[in-house]
Amino acid sequence: MSSDTIPQPPKKSASALAFDILLWGGVIGLLVVSFRPAEIDKFPQLFTEAGRMREFATGFFAPFGNAELFMSMDWPTYIGKMWQTIQMALWGTALAIIVAIPLGLLGARNITPVWIQQPVRRALDLIRSLPDLVVALIFITAVGLGPFAGVMALMFNTGGVLAKLFAEAVESIDKGPVEGVRATGAVPLQEIVWGVIPQVAPLWTSYALYRFESSSRSATVLGLIGAGGIGQVLLESVNGFQYDQTGCIVLVIVVAVSMIDLLSQIIRTRLL
């Protein structure tokens, strides 16, 4: 084969090449500047302090090498608390979807006037910028310790994320079906119901499933501050230096999250 028939990569213009150099040079520069503030110079301690890590790992993995110790763990409590965590994530995601649908439609620039779309987008930026733990503490102050505070915190953060994703999905729709519905004399609400929703429903469902997976993990973290679920049991085992229990609790979390991921993949495969 001659060299003339070998496909050549497309050549970039000088301006595009200069932009790439500037962009990646800036990224590398930020990494260099962040080296000390991020304490990357402590990397060698991972090897010099390996003894401490070994001590923790010995207790953490002890149940998996000792059948009697493994069976003596309080598995019903761990599984029950994990199930409560999943229920929190399920309700938090469901409520978030209810909030995200109208906000996502209002935040889409192709169907909403800019004087509505921009304030909605900025509000969503604010919602997403608030850490889950801060939101959870606010709800714990209002309703007390327990799963309900965790559910509301998940709804708040997940609703903001889903609304942004829903809006971006609406902005990428094909205008043809919407114009076809409009040609029949439909009002704007009917255009959304018959022209927009059918196009974005599979993608919205996929986004919601992804966020449910994420919420299942976030709900575990929220339990660390008293918002219910397996996070509370996990914190108690760590604080009590009961690393064998910690290992078993982590195993329950890993199995549960993996099962949720597999189920979500099956559902998404059927939808898309």
Side-chain angles (χ1 to χ4, degrees):
M1 181 182 293
S2 65
S3 59
D4 295 338
T5 60
I6 299 177
Q8 299 295 322
K11 294 183 178 180
K12 292 186 176 182
S13 64
S15 60
L17 184 60
F19 177 79
D20 288 347
I21 294 174
L22 181 63
L23 175 64
W24 292 110
V27 172
I28 295 173
L30 286 174
L31 288 172
V32 172
V33 171
S34 304
F35 186 86
R36 291 299 298 274
E39 296 186 340
I40 305 302
D41 53 325
K42 287 187 176 181
F43 189 80
Q45 293 184 15
L46 292 176
F47 306 97
T48 59
E49 302 294 338
R52 298 179 183 178
M53 298 173 61
R54 193 180 304 112
E55 180 182 352
F56 173 82
T58 300
F60 188 88
F61 291 105
F64 308 112
N66 186 327
E68 182 177 353
L69 180 60
F70 185 85
M71 297 303 298
S72 67
M73 292 295 163
D74 191 4
W75 293 106
T77 297
Y78 305 156
I79 295 172
K81 287 294 185 179
M82 188 66 230
W83 174 234
Q84 184 183 57
T85 298
I86 294 173
Q87 291 173 312
M88 290 167 54
L90 185 63
W91 266 105
T93 305
L95 294 174
I97 293 171
I98 295 173
V99 171
I101 290 176
L103 290 178
L105 293 170
L106 291 173
R109 63 175 179 270
N110 56 336
I111 65 171
T112 307
V114 66
W115 55 271
I116 295 178
Q117 185 258 345
Q118 281 299 313
V120 170
R121 281 299 188 100
R122 300 294 75 77
L124 294 178
D125 292 341
L126 175 63
I127 291 173
R128 295 196 310 276
S129 66
L130 294 176
D132 289 350
L133 294 178
V134 174
V135 177
L137 287 172
I138 294 173
F139 283 110
I140 286 175
T141 303
V143 302
L145 298 174
F148 183 70
V151 169
M152 297 306 294
L154 290 172
M155 178 204 71
F156 191 86
N157 182 267
T158 302
V161 173
L162 283 180
K164 181 179 184 293
L165 294 174
F166 286 3
E168 292 179 350
V170 172
E171 291 175 351
S172 64
I173 63 171
D174 182 5
K175 296 180 180 179
V178 180
E179 294 174 350
V181 174
R182 186 181 302 134
T184 65
V187 299
L189 181 59
Q190 292 173 320
E191 293 177 14
I192 293 174
V193 172
W194 301 110
V196 176
I197 300 298
Q199 295 190 65
V200 299
L203 194 55
W204 279 9
T205 305
S206 180
Y207 286 151
L209 289 171
Y210 276 123
R211 287 305 303 178
F212 172 58
E213 297 171 19
S214 178
S215 294
S216 300
R217 292 182 284 270
S218 298
T220 300
V221 177
L222 294 178
L224 299 177
I225 60 172
I230 199 168
Q232 290 180 316
V233 182
L234 180 62
L235 180 63
E236 291 171 2
S237 68
V238 173
N239 288 340
F241 301 101
Q242 298 172 322
Y243 298 134
D244 52 347
Q245 295 184 16
T246 303
C248 293
I249 294 169
V250 171
L251 174 64
V252 171
I253 295 172
V254 170
V255 171
V257 171
S258 298
M259 291 177 64
I260 292 172
D261 288 345
L262 290 173
L263 179 61
S264 298
Q265 290 176 12
I266 294 172
I267 296 174
R268 284 196 298 271
T269 302
R270 292 300 186 96
L271 290 174
L272 301 176

